[in-house]
Amino acid sequence: MNQSQSSATQLPEAFKIAPSKSVQTLEIRTEQLDPITATTSEVVFQLPMNGILDGGSFVQLAVEANAAAFLPVATGIHSLIDSCELQVGTKVIMTTQRYAHRQTAVRQLDSPEHRAYVDMIKSGACADRWAETSAGKISYQDLVYNAALTTASVPAFLKPTADPTTTPVYSVPLSSLFPAMILRQLPLFAMKEQVYIRIRFNQQPTGTKNVICCFPDGYGGDTSAKPSLTNIKFMSDHLYFSDDTMNQMAAQIASSDGMVELYEDLILTETQAAEVANPAGGTITQQRVENEIAVAGRVVRGLLIADQKTTTDQNPAVDWCGQYVSTEGRVPDELNFRVNDSRVFDRNLVDAPQKYNQLRFAMGRPLRVPSTLYSFDPDTDKSDPTNAVNQSIISAAVAVEGHANIENARSTQHYTGLDLSTTGVNMLGAGTQIGVKPIQITKTYNRVNGDNQARTMRVWASVERTMRIQNGTIEVSA
């Protein structure tokens, strides 16, 4: 048993997000909190030092923008958030950077039905289900169509307005902001230092678009979007167990060993691949890049990788998906990893099923999107060395918010990953100890004519950290 697994066993039963072995008396109290700092750049909440903070708590968010605006269809209100931090005193305990990019990927791991019937109302995303048209193609199911089924629009009740009293209000769970809160809870009642949640917002001044909100084709008005500060609240759920249970937890925290809690944090690495000369028609230019992931000395359970053209306007479907896409070229990229100075795969990952499986292992569940959204593979001619597109699963007859070429939705959710769990079960305590050398990602881009632009790779490493609380003071591992 490694040190992190041994530490995890010290957790009191009440702190574990799992069925309790014994009957517990439990009371949940919810407090509505206003931010102590609120600007269009960030908000900060100070949590009351009561009970045990539950991951079901949520932040209430809204956007103010011209009535023509709509939230990115696969991202929703998450597009408002750039990063978030959970801070105890002066210590940052958990952080999520490039939150909207990551959450767009994570949402696609839920079932389309959950995303459509539950999350659409909570987050404002509406492009989670696809249906077959009469022509045998597929198109977005939950948009609003005209009688001829040639135009599709975002439902009006999901669109923001410039009036804070009428703009729709959404909610983002604490467990979405910080993945650790899916499995862990914080004993606020036993902590001496104040606990803060800091949320930094994306910026979209007029003249820009597709960051917080997108706009219909041909729209020429004000494109600014900002957080609706009067609507931003934090709904803080606090758990209270029986006096005996709370006293036992307080006693453990006050003991010489304190309470040790294993939890998950995220480390983001962003890298760039330069633009290459545009290949001639019918030819391929290979560009090999090696990126180092800054996790040396850490325990890592998995990687989530997103990759897109650096200039977002060059990305497919940006006009309705915003900048929150991850794409691959027509000719598949080649991917491999080096961990602890050892090559992970004998042969590079090339085919879409190989990459899809690695993502499934890394995230613990499959990505649930149509195959054409994951890869160009279903629509391209394999007898052509540059994989020319010779068919389309997506209906070209439908325009989304006036944007005609919705076939550009191909390969906009091409996420990859690497499973580094050591037990075959992707769970806390099963991560790989990384030595003095960082993880290395080797990627070969197969560039074809028109697909030569600079690219940005974002890699979120799920890192296992240890939190020790003793006499109300908190210490965390690197």
Side-chain angles (χ1 to χ4, degrees):
M1 180 179 292
N2 62 34
Q3 182 178 359
S4 60
Q5 288 173 313
S6 177
S7 298
T9 62
Q10 299 182 33
L11 267 185
E13 186 177 334
F15 285 146
K16 298 177 183 178
I17 310 297
S20 177
K21 297 179 181 178
S22 58
V23 177
Q24 296 277 358
T25 300
L26 173 64
E27 180 183 356
I28 303 176
R29 301 175 193 169
T30 300
E31 300 188 34
Q32 178 178 293
L33 307 178
D34 290 312
I36 59 172
T37 299
T39 70
T40 55
S41 298
E42 70 173 23
V43 293
V44 179
F45 296 96
Q46 180 178 324
L47 304 186
M49 309 300 283
N50 302 322
I52 300 169
L53 179 64
D54 185 66
S57 306
F58 64 90
V59 59
Q60 176 181 291
L61 295 174
V63 167
E64 295 176 20
N66 186 284
F70 58 93
L71 297 170
V73 295
T75 307
I77 196 62
H78 303 290
S79 65
L80 181 60
I81 302 175
D82 175 60
S83 64
C84 48
E85 296 176 355
L86 180 65
Q87 184 175 335
V88 179
T90 59
K91 303 181 185 72
V92 175
I93 307 301
M94 306 171 193
T95 182
T96 304
Q97 296 175 293
R98 296 292 184 264
Y99 167 83
H101 287 275
R102 182 182 185 276
Q103 188 61 23
T104 302
V106 172
R107 288 189 69 255
Q108 313 313 313
L109 302 171
D110 292 328
S111 71
E113 290 75 22
H114 174 84
R115 296 185 335 241
Y117 295 130
V118 178
D119 194 51
M120 181 169 72
I121 305 302
K122 292 184 176 181
S123 74
C126 55
D128 296 312
R129 293 192 300 170
W130 293 72
E132 185 175 345
T133 69
S134 58
K137 307 287 188 178
I138 63 171
S139 187
Y140 293 110
Q141 181 170 336
D142 295 310
L143 302 186
V144 178
Y145 287 81
N146 65 350
L149 301 180
T150 56
T151 65
S153 302
V154 172
F157 74 93
L158 297 177
K159 292 185 174 182
T161 72
D163 185 347
T165 64
T166 60
T167 194
V169 176
Y170 301 105
S171 64
V172 176
L174 188 61
S175 56
S176 293
L177 296 175
F178 307 106
M181 297 303 295
I182 297 174
L183 296 173
R184 294 292 180 254
Q185 297 166 330
L186 284 180
L188 298 177
F189 75 99
M191 301 176 74
K192 289 181 180 179
E193 298 176 294
Q194 293 294 329
V195 179
Y196 304 94
I197 293 174
R198 183 187 304 272
I199 300 174
R200 295 185 174 90
F201 298 126
N202 283 314
Q203 301 296 304
Q204 185 172 315
T206 189
T208 62
K209 59 182 180 178
N210 303 332
V211 180
I212 299 175
C213 288
C214 303
F215 289 86
D217 187 39
Y219 174 77
D222 181 7
T223 61
S224 64
K226 63 180 182 179
S228 181
L229 296 180
T230 58
N231 285 305
I232 294 179
K233 313 285 183 184
F234 185 69
M235 304 300 176
S236 188
D237 287 341
H238 299 257
L239 310 182
Y240 297 83
F241 292 89
S242 65
D243 289 342
D244 287 344
T245 301
M246 300 294 276
N247 290 339
Q248 289 172 8
M249 288 188 285
Q252 180 172 348
I253 291 171
S255 68
S256 58
D257 293 329
M259 186 188 76
V260 180
E261 185 170 0
L262 182 67
Y263 71 100
E264 176 186 44
D265 201 6
L266 297 172
I267 294 178
L268 171 68
T269 302
E270 282 189 349
T271 57
Q272 309 291 323
E275 181 177 354
V276 300
N278 195 20
T283 66
I284 298 174
T285 296
Q286 288 197 325
Q287 180 188 24
R288 187 174 186 269
V289 297
E290 293 183 354
N291 300 323
E292 292 187 341
I293 309 305
V295 290
R298 311 294 185 99
V299 177
V300 182
R301 204 170 80 250
L303 305 179
L304 170 63
I305 305 169
D307 198 323
Q308 64 174 202
K309 296 175 182 177
T310 300
T311 303
T312 57
D313 286 347
Q314 297 171 340
N315 284 296
V318 68
D319 288 317
W320 62 93
C321 290
Q323 61 180 349
Y324 309 105
V325 296
S326 179
T327 64
E328 185 180 48
R330 293 202 314 269
V331 177
D333 305 328
E334 301 173 26
L335 185 65
N336 215 322
F337 305 86
R338 182 171 289 273
V339 178
N340 289 334
D341 217 18
S342 177
R343 184 178 170 96
V344 175
F345 301 107
D346 291 338
R347 297 183 180 180
N348 292 340
L349 301 178
V350 179
D351 295 332
Q354 293 176 310
K355 298 171 183 175
Y356 179 91
N357 273 337
Q358 287 305 315
L359 177 67
R360 175 171 64 89
F361 298 146
M363 303 303 292
R365 47 193 173 139
L367 192 72
R368 304 186 188 189
V369 299
S371 57
T372 189
L373 265 66
Y374 188 72
S375 168
F376 275 93
D377 184 68
D379 291 345
T380 52
D381 181 2
K382 305 308 182 295
S383 66
D384 182 336
T386 60
N387 285 19
V389 175
N390 65 347
Q391 57 187 320
S392 179
I393 294 176
I394 300 174
S395 174
V398 179
V400 176
E401 290 287 348
H403 300 287
N405 194 9
I406 74 162
E407 291 172 310
N408 278 339
R410 291 189 191 99
S411 188
T412 52
Q413 294 178 355
H414 184 82
Y415 300 97
T416 52
L418 177 65
D419 177 24
L420 289 170
S421 61
T422 58
T423 63
V425 179
N426 197 304
M427 58 184 295
L428 277 173
T432 295
Q433 177 70 55
I434 306 300
V436 295
K437 292 188 177 182
I439 294 174
Q440 185 181 79
I441 298 178
T442 302
K443 190 164 189 178
T444 301
Y445 296 99
N446 289 306
R447 308 287 206 148
V448 296
N449 185 259
D451 190 19
N452 62 312
Q453 298 87 354
R455 297 189 66 92
T456 297
M457 179 189 290
R458 297 182 178 91
V459 182
W460 293 269
S462 297
V463 176
E464 294 180 356
R465 301 179 69 185
T466 301
M467 177 191 309
R468 182 171 180 263
I469 307 174
Q470 184 183 25
N471 288 326
T473 302
I474 192 166
E475 299 175 355
V476 293
S477 63

